[in-house]
Each structure stands twice: as structure tokens, then as C-alpha cells.
Amino acid sequence: MIYKNLFNNEGPVFMGSKKNFSNCSIGIFGVNYDGTTSFKPGTRFGPTAIRNVSESLETYCPFLNKDLNLINYFDAGSLKLNSSNTHAIIKKVKSGTNFLINNNLKPIILGGEHSISIGVIEALVEKYPDLIMIQLDAHADLRNSYQNNKYSHACTIRRCLELLPSKKVIQIGIRSGTQEEFAVMKNNNQLIKFNTGDSILKIQNLLEPFKNHPIYLTVDLDWFDPSLLPGTGTPEPGGFFWHDFENIIGLLNTFKIIGCDIVELSPDIDSSGISSIVAAKTTRSLIMTLDKNTLKELF
Ligand SMILES: [Mn+2]
């Protein structure tokens, strides 16, 4: 399927992205969908907000010592959606992801609400049967069903666990959920849980056995503390700050990250605009993490 049937690319694109994907190794698309959002809707405006503010960022990241100018990535635009049914949206996300991976582009998906990760995983497990997942999130997202919808954003990780043959999700920073979800996390030794205040060394030791596994990273932006990122539908106090993210992403640059998503930005909730900047800077870090060609030190 040609990409113009799948994506609307008439809006803004992420800064510095190439117009043609032929020489690219990374592909971005947006999903302007917030149909199951339970508290405050607005994440459908996330992809455009991230692209609009991306122009304000530098291309160089001193922490990773990488520069976007040296990376070839393609922004396909946002998925054309003609349904509000969550399952239909997830199938569309799967098609979009398949388009990218069939063209050897590592996927970066901009949400939209968290349910969209399910479609990405559906596509990726066919190519990477030993895929594992890392989740940065305030919420467990392990409900079996929420508001009569098994594809609600509150059920994302439960669905992904069913899809992953490895049954392995590493959950970092979960601080909100039901008693049942916390019992699942406690009793299921396939799930590895980290807390606020855990050292990066602890994370490194626990990730070590997965050094050669393909890893999908899902970043629910409510993982960040609401004082840094208030622009999200279900903010949770007690979250993480930029340096925590930098430490984790620095570590993940030594692993095999093959795709990622950045979800749950609700830009209009935050009149300061800082939430969109944090989301765009997160996206920049992830483009750099997926790129393997600039691993050598720039200077
Ligand atoms: Mn989530």
C-alpha cells in the first residue's frame, strides 16, 4: 500500500525529517486519536503539537553527543482515520507500522492515547518474535477491560502481554492502578517493576539479560511529574524529571531498541506549552536512540 493511502502528510512534520524515505532508517507517524480517554480528552492534538514545537529544539544533544543533522528519518504524517472504533484504529496503526517496517524504517509513533501501542506491537511481534517491551508510565494499564472496552488505554499493557510471545514487559515508574493490577505486577514474575528513587544501576542490572533482545519502548508522558509535564489527560503526582529520563535513555542507547511510541500528550491542558516541548525533546532523544549510525563520538 502506498503511504498516501495510509497517511495525511499535509500538516507540519518533525523538524529535519526527510521528504522521501528511500535513504532513511527511521519512520515517524502520528495517530490523532483519543476515543477511550477516560478523564480529560485532547491527546488527538498531540502529534501536531509535538511537530509544531520541534522547530524550537537544537539538533544537537550534548548528553547523547548525537546530532539530528546526521540522521536520516522520515515523517509520514498522521494516519488517516475514518472510524472512532478503538479496534479499527488499532488495526490502522498495525497497517501503518507494517508500512514502515516493510520499508526498513524503525517505527516512532506519536500519540494519541496509549491504546495505539497495541497495533504497533501486533505488527512488530510478526517480525521480532523475541520482542520485549519497556514501559515508562504512571499507570499499570493492566486492566482486562475498562468501561466495557478491552482496547481502552487502561488495558494497553494487558493486551500487549497477550501479544508478546516473550511475555516480558519491564514497567518503570508505575505509581497508580487498582489493587488487582498491583497484585498482577507483584505475582507475575514476567513483569519487572521499578519505583521512583530506584538507582539507574538497579535498572541496568535487571536489563542486562535482555542485551541482545529487540526492545520496544513505550513512553506514556504521564510518567513525568505533572510539575514538568501537566499537559496529559490523567496526571499523577510523584513522577519523574528530565534527568531521570536522560539516565534511562543513556542506558537504553546501549540496547537494541527497534521501535517506540510517545503517547498521552494533551497539549491544550497546558497553556505554558512546556509539555509539548518536553514531548518533542523526548521524541528527539528517541530518534537518536533508534539511530545506529552515529554511535561513534562526534568529538
Ligand atoms: Mn499508559
Side-chain angles (χ1 to χ4, degrees), residues 239-277:
F240 294 80
F241 291 90
W242 186 253
H243 290 298
D244 302 308
F245 179 74
E246 262 182 349
N247 284 333
I248 288 175
I249 217 69
L251 175 65
L252 293 183
N253 263 260
T254 64
F255 284 80
K256 209 171 127 192
I257 310 293
I258 56 86
C260 57
D261 61 56
I262 300 103
V263 296
E264 298 285 352
L265 172 67
S266 195
D268 295 347
I269 291 173
D270 174 11
S271 57
S272 78
I274 186 66
S275 302
S276 301
I277 300 272

Short mmCIF file of all heavy atoms in Angstrom, two decimals, residues 239-277:
data_model
loop_
_atom_site.label_atom_id
_atom_site.label_comp_id
_atom_site.label_asym_id
_atom_site.label_seq_id
_atom_site.Cartn_x
_atom_site.Cartn_y
_atom_site.Cartn_z
N GLY A 239 6.03 11.85 40.09
CA GLY A 239 6.65 11.32 38.88
C GLY A 239 8.11 11.68 38.73
O GLY A 239 8.80 12.07 39.67
N PHE A 240 8.56 11.57 37.49
CA PHE A 240 9.99 11.67 37.19
C PHE A 240 10.32 12.98 36.48
O PHE A 240 9.45 13.66 35.94
CB PHE A 240 10.41 10.48 36.32
CG PHE A 240 10.29 9.17 37.04
CD1 PHE A 240 9.05 8.54 37.16
CD2 PHE A 240 11.40 8.58 37.62
CE1 PHE A 240 8.94 7.34 37.85
CE2 PHE A 240 11.29 7.38 38.29
CZ PHE A 240 10.05 6.75 38.40
N PHE A 241 11.63 13.30 36.46
CA PHE A 241 12.08 14.56 35.89
C PHE A 241 13.01 14.30 34.71
O PHE A 241 13.32 13.15 34.41
CB PHE A 241 12.72 15.42 36.98
CG PHE A 241 11.68 15.89 37.96
CD1 PHE A 241 11.36 15.14 39.09
CD2 PHE A 241 10.95 17.03 37.70
CE1 PHE A 241 10.35 15.53 39.94
CE2 PHE A 241 9.93 17.44 38.55
CZ PHE A 241 9.63 16.68 39.68
N TRP A 242 13.43 15.38 34.04
CA TRP A 242 14.17 15.22 32.80
C TRP A 242 15.45 14.41 32.99
O TRP A 242 15.81 13.58 32.16
CB TRP A 242 14.44 16.57 32.14
CG TRP A 242 15.08 16.35 30.80
CD1 TRP A 242 16.36 16.56 30.44
CD2 TRP A 242 14.42 15.79 29.63
NE1 TRP A 242 16.57 16.18 29.13
CE2 TRP A 242 15.39 15.70 28.61
CE3 TRP A 242 13.12 15.35 29.37
CZ2 TRP A 242 15.10 15.20 27.35
CZ3 TRP A 242 12.83 14.85 28.11
CH2 TRP A 242 13.81 14.79 27.12
N HIS A 243 16.16 14.66 34.11
CA HIS A 243 17.43 13.94 34.32
C HIS A 243 17.20 12.43 34.47
O HIS A 243 18.04 11.63 34.06
CB HIS A 243 18.19 14.51 35.52
CG HIS A 243 18.72 15.88 35.26
ND1 HIS A 243 19.64 16.13 34.27
CD2 HIS A 243 18.43 17.07 35.80
CE1 HIS A 243 19.91 17.42 34.22
NE2 HIS A 243 19.18 18.02 35.14
N ASP A 244 16.07 12.05 35.06
CA ASP A 244 15.76 10.62 35.17
C ASP A 244 15.61 10.02 33.77
O ASP A 244 16.09 8.92 33.49
CB ASP A 244 14.44 10.41 35.94
CG ASP A 244 14.48 11.01 37.33
OD1 ASP A 244 15.43 10.69 38.06
OD2 ASP A 244 13.57 11.79 37.68
N PHE A 245 14.91 10.77 32.91
CA PHE A 245 14.72 10.29 31.53
C PHE A 245 16.06 10.18 30.81
O PHE A 245 16.34 9.18 30.13
CB PHE A 245 13.77 11.22 30.77
CG PHE A 245 13.55 10.78 29.34
CD1 PHE A 245 12.76 9.69 29.05
CD2 PHE A 245 14.17 11.45 28.29
CE1 PHE A 245 12.57 9.26 27.73
CE2 PHE A 245 13.99 11.03 26.98
CZ PHE A 245 13.18 9.94 26.71
N GLU A 246 16.89 11.21 31.00
CA GLU A 246 18.22 11.19 30.34
C GLU A 246 19.02 9.96 30.77
O GLU A 246 19.67 9.32 29.94
CB GLU A 246 19.01 12.45 30.72
CG GLU A 246 18.93 13.52 29.67
CD GLU A 246 19.76 14.75 30.04
OE1 GLU A 246 20.23 14.89 31.18
OE2 GLU A 246 19.92 15.58 29.16
N ASN A 247 18.97 9.65 32.07
CA ASN A 247 19.73 8.50 32.56
C ASN A 247 19.24 7.20 31.94
O ASN A 247 20.02 6.35 31.53
CB ASN A 247 19.65 8.41 34.08
CG ASN A 247 20.54 9.44 34.74
OD1 ASN A 247 21.54 9.85 34.17
ND2 ASN A 247 20.17 9.88 35.94
N ILE A 248 17.92 7.06 31.86
CA ILE A 248 17.36 5.83 31.28
C ILE A 248 17.67 5.75 29.79
O ILE A 248 18.07 4.70 29.27
CB ILE A 248 15.84 5.76 31.56
CG1 ILE A 248 15.62 5.46 33.04
CG2 ILE A 248 15.17 4.69 30.70
CD1 ILE A 248 14.18 5.49 33.49
N ILE A 249 17.54 6.87 29.10
CA ILE A 249 17.75 6.85 27.66
C ILE A 249 19.24 6.65 27.34
O ILE A 249 19.59 5.99 26.36
CB ILE A 249 17.15 8.11 26.99
CG1 ILE A 249 16.56 7.74 25.65
CG2 ILE A 249 18.13 9.24 26.80
CD1 ILE A 249 15.35 6.90 25.71
N GLY A 250 20.11 7.18 28.21
CA GLY A 250 21.55 6.94 28.04
C GLY A 250 21.85 5.45 28.13
O GLY A 250 22.59 4.88 27.33
N LEU A 251 21.21 4.79 29.11
CA LEU A 251 21.37 3.35 29.28
C LEU A 251 20.80 2.61 28.06
O LEU A 251 21.43 1.69 27.52
CB LEU A 251 20.64 2.93 30.56
CG LEU A 251 20.58 1.45 30.88
CD1 LEU A 251 21.97 0.90 31.15
CD2 LEU A 251 19.68 1.20 32.08
N LEU A 252 19.61 3.01 27.61
CA LEU A 252 18.96 2.29 26.50
C LEU A 252 19.69 2.46 25.18
O LEU A 252 19.50 1.66 24.27
CB LEU A 252 17.49 2.73 26.37
CG LEU A 252 16.58 2.33 27.53
CD1 LEU A 252 15.15 2.75 27.25
CD2 LEU A 252 16.65 0.83 27.79
N ASN A 253 20.55 3.48 25.08
CA ASN A 253 21.36 3.63 23.88
C ASN A 253 22.34 2.48 23.71
O ASN A 253 22.90 2.30 22.64
CB ASN A 253 22.09 4.99 23.87
CG ASN A 253 21.32 6.02 23.05
OD1 ASN A 253 21.64 6.29 21.90
ND2 ASN A 253 20.25 6.57 23.63
N THR A 254 22.56 1.70 24.78
CA THR A 254 23.46 0.54 24.67
C THR A 254 22.66 -0.75 24.44
O THR A 254 23.22 -1.84 24.43
CB THR A 254 24.32 0.39 25.94
OG1 THR A 254 23.44 0.12 27.05
CG2 THR A 254 25.10 1.66 26.23
N PHE A 255 21.34 -0.62 24.27
CA PHE A 255 20.49 -1.79 24.00
C PHE A 255 19.95 -1.72 22.57
O PHE A 255 20.18 -0.74 21.85
CB PHE A 255 19.34 -1.86 25.02
CG PHE A 255 19.78 -2.37 26.36
CD1 PHE A 255 20.42 -1.51 27.26
CD2 PHE A 255 19.59 -3.68 26.72
CE1 PHE A 255 20.86 -1.97 28.49
CE2 PHE A 255 20.02 -4.15 27.95
CZ PHE A 255 20.65 -3.30 28.84
N LYS A 256 19.22 -2.77 22.19
CA LYS A 256 18.72 -2.88 20.81
C LYS A 256 17.27 -2.39 20.74
O LYS A 256 16.34 -3.20 20.71
CB LYS A 256 18.82 -4.36 20.39
CG LYS A 256 19.01 -4.60 18.92
CD LYS A 256 19.31 -6.08 18.69
CE LYS A 256 18.39 -6.68 17.66
NZ LYS A 256 18.44 -8.14 17.59
N ILE A 257 17.09 -1.09 20.77
CA ILE A 257 15.73 -0.53 20.68
C ILE A 257 15.33 -0.51 19.20
O ILE A 257 16.03 0.08 18.37
CB ILE A 257 15.68 0.90 21.25
CG1 ILE A 257 16.33 0.98 22.65
CG2 ILE A 257 14.22 1.40 21.31
CD1 ILE A 257 15.61 0.24 23.72
N ILE A 258 14.21 -1.15 18.88
CA ILE A 258 13.83 -1.27 17.47
C ILE A 258 12.56 -0.46 17.13
O ILE A 258 12.13 -0.44 15.97
CB ILE A 258 13.66 -2.74 17.04
CG1 ILE A 258 12.66 -3.49 17.94
CG2 ILE A 258 15.00 -3.48 17.08
CD1 ILE A 258 11.25 -3.37 17.52
N GLY A 259 11.98 0.19 18.13
CA GLY A 259 10.80 1.00 17.85
C GLY A 259 10.31 1.63 19.14
O GLY A 259 10.70 1.19 20.24
N CYS A 260 9.48 2.66 19.04
CA CYS A 260 8.98 3.29 20.25
C CYS A 260 7.74 4.13 19.96
O CYS A 260 7.42 4.42 18.80
CB CYS A 260 10.06 4.17 20.89
SG CYS A 260 10.69 5.41 19.80
N ASP A 261 7.04 4.50 21.02
CA ASP A 261 5.97 5.47 20.89
C ASP A 261 6.03 6.47 22.03
O ASP A 261 6.62 6.21 23.08
CB ASP A 261 4.59 4.80 20.80
CG ASP A 261 4.21 3.97 22.02
OD1 ASP A 261 4.22 4.51 23.14
OD2 ASP A 261 3.89 2.77 21.84
N ILE A 262 5.44 7.64 21.76
CA ILE A 262 5.35 8.73 22.74
C ILE A 262 3.87 9.09 22.77
O ILE A 262 3.35 9.61 21.79
CB ILE A 262 6.19 9.95 22.32
CG1 ILE A 262 7.67 9.56 22.17
CG2 ILE A 262 6.06 11.11 23.29
CD1 ILE A 262 8.12 9.40 20.75
N VAL A 263 3.20 8.78 23.88
CA VAL A 263 1.74 8.91 23.90
C VAL A 263 1.23 9.77 25.06
O VAL A 263 1.97 10.05 26.01
CB VAL A 263 1.07 7.51 23.97
CG1 VAL A 263 1.38 6.69 22.72
CG2 VAL A 263 1.48 6.75 25.22
N GLU A 264 -0.03 10.14 24.95
CA GLU A 264 -0.81 10.80 26.00
C GLU A 264 -0.46 12.28 26.22
O GLU A 264 -0.81 12.85 27.25
CB GLU A 264 -0.73 10.03 27.34
CG GLU A 264 -1.31 8.61 27.28
CD GLU A 264 -2.85 8.53 27.26
OE1 GLU A 264 -3.48 9.59 27.45
OE2 GLU A 264 -3.39 7.44 27.01
N LEU A 265 0.17 12.94 25.25
CA LEU A 265 0.31 14.40 25.34
C LEU A 265 -1.04 15.04 25.01
O LEU A 265 -1.64 14.75 23.97
CB LEU A 265 1.35 14.91 24.34
CG LEU A 265 1.43 16.45 24.24
CD1 LEU A 265 1.96 17.07 25.54
CD2 LEU A 265 2.29 16.88 23.05
N SER A 266 -1.50 15.89 25.92
CA SER A 266 -2.75 16.62 25.69
C SER A 266 -2.41 18.11 25.75
O SER A 266 -2.51 18.74 26.81
CB SER A 266 -3.76 16.22 26.76
OG SER A 266 -5.04 16.62 26.39
N PRO A 267 -1.96 18.68 24.64
CA PRO A 267 -1.27 19.98 24.68
C PRO A 267 -2.13 21.13 25.20
O PRO A 267 -1.61 22.04 25.86
CB PRO A 267 -0.88 20.21 23.21
CG PRO A 267 -1.74 19.30 22.41
CD PRO A 267 -2.03 18.12 23.29
N ASP A 268 -3.44 21.09 24.94
CA ASP A 268 -4.27 22.24 25.31
C ASP A 268 -4.50 22.37 26.81
O ASP A 268 -4.94 23.42 27.29
CB ASP A 268 -5.61 22.17 24.57
CG ASP A 268 -5.42 22.30 23.06
OD1 ASP A 268 -4.30 22.69 22.65
OD2 ASP A 268 -6.36 22.00 22.30
N ILE A 269 -4.21 21.30 27.58
CA ILE A 269 -4.37 21.40 29.03
C ILE A 269 -3.30 22.31 29.61
O ILE A 269 -3.49 22.91 30.66
CB ILE A 269 -4.29 19.98 29.66
CG1 ILE A 269 -5.53 19.17 29.25
CG2 ILE A 269 -4.17 20.04 31.18
CD1 ILE A 269 -5.49 17.71 29.66
N ASP A 270 -2.18 22.44 28.92
CA ASP A 270 -1.03 23.20 29.45
C ASP A 270 -0.84 24.47 28.62
O ASP A 270 -0.25 24.43 27.54
CB ASP A 270 0.21 22.30 29.39
CG ASP A 270 1.48 23.03 29.77
OD1 ASP A 270 1.38 24.17 30.28
OD2 ASP A 270 2.56 22.46 29.55
N SER A 271 -1.31 25.59 29.16
CA SER A 271 -1.23 26.84 28.40
C SER A 271 0.20 27.36 28.27
O SER A 271 0.50 28.17 27.41
CB SER A 271 -2.13 27.91 29.03
OG SER A 271 -1.73 28.10 30.37
N SER A 272 1.12 26.87 29.12
CA SER A 272 2.52 27.33 29.02
C SER A 272 3.22 26.73 27.80
O SER A 272 4.21 27.25 27.33
CB SER A 272 3.29 26.93 30.28
OG SER A 272 3.64 25.56 30.24
N GLY A 273 2.74 25.58 27.32
CA GLY A 273 3.37 24.92 26.18
C GLY A 273 4.56 24.05 26.53
O GLY A 273 5.12 23.38 25.66
N ILE A 274 4.97 24.05 27.82
CA ILE A 274 6.18 23.29 28.18
C ILE A 274 5.99 21.79 27.97
O ILE A 274 6.93 21.07 27.62
CB ILE A 274 6.63 23.62 29.63
CG1 ILE A 274 7.97 22.95 29.97
CG2 ILE A 274 5.60 23.23 30.66
CD1 ILE A 274 9.14 23.47 29.19
N SER A 275 4.75 21.30 28.16
CA SER A 275 4.52 19.85 28.00
C SER A 275 4.86 19.40 26.58
O SER A 275 5.46 18.34 26.37
CB SER A 275 3.06 19.50 28.30
OG SER A 275 2.73 19.90 29.60
N SER A 276 4.47 20.23 25.60
CA SER A 276 4.76 19.88 24.20
C SER A 276 6.26 19.90 23.94
O SER A 276 6.79 19.07 23.18
CB SER A 276 4.06 20.84 23.24
OG SER A 276 2.67 20.80 23.47
N ILE A 277 6.96 20.85 24.57
CA ILE A 277 8.42 20.91 24.41
C ILE A 277 9.07 19.65 24.98
O ILE A 277 9.94 19.04 24.35
CB ILE A 277 9.01 22.16 25.14
CG1 ILE A 277 8.42 23.44 24.58
CG2 ILE A 277 10.53 22.14 25.12
CD1 ILE A 277 9.12 24.03 23.40
#
